[in-house]
Amino acid sequence: MSVELIEKGKDRLEVRFREVNASVADILQYELLADSSVLSSGVVIPHPLQKVVVLNVLAKEQPKAALREAWARSMKVLESLEAELDKSLTKSSKK
């Protein structure tokens, strides 16, 4: 797995994920679009056999900061989901 950041000016950023499922980029895109400083965000899968996913970010300013904040929010959501799953698994194993 690798991540490559390609700056496309002061307000644009392209993130290339290699050997990563598109779900990672989808979660980040969802969180990016919740940020009022982000104008646009999109996920592109150039070719399904290449195992590359591209996330594009267009922000009013500082797309790197928006990406960091979206990552932090994404991790909180995943941690919450993990806790709920653990609760459900524990509850179902007691039956």
Side-chain angles (χ1 to χ4, degrees):
M1 170 176 49
S2 68
V3 179
E4 178 184 6
L5 292 178
I6 303 167
E7 293 186 60
K8 303 234 174 186
K10 66 178 185 171
D11 60 348
R12 291 179 187 267
L13 184 64
E14 181 178 290
V15 185
R16 288 186 172 267
F17 298 96
R18 296 186 191 286
E19 303 292 328
V20 173
N21 186 294
S23 299
V24 172
D26 289 336
I27 292 168
L28 278 171
Q29 179 194 27
Y30 181 84
E31 291 299 331
L32 281 163
L33 292 173
D35 186 332
S36 62
S37 73
V38 175
L39 301 171
S40 174
S41 179
V43 176
V44 178
I45 301 171
H47 192 282
L49 297 178
Q50 290 180 340
K51 296 186 180 180
V52 174
V53 179
V54 179
L55 174 68
N56 292 298
V57 182
L58 174 62
K60 294 176 186 174
E61 56 186 37
Q62 299 181 348
K64 283 184 185 178
L67 181 62
R68 282 184 204 275
E69 291 167 11
W71 181 258
R73 288 192 307 274
S74 297
M75 291 304 297
K76 286 180 184 176
V77 168
L78 291 172
E79 288 166 359
S80 175
L81 181 61
E82 180 183 33
E84 288 299 315
L85 180 61
D86 284 344
K87 262 198 278 186
S88 294
L89 289 171
T90 301
K91 189 186 279 187
S92 71
S93 67
K94 290 181 180 181
K95 292 182 180 181

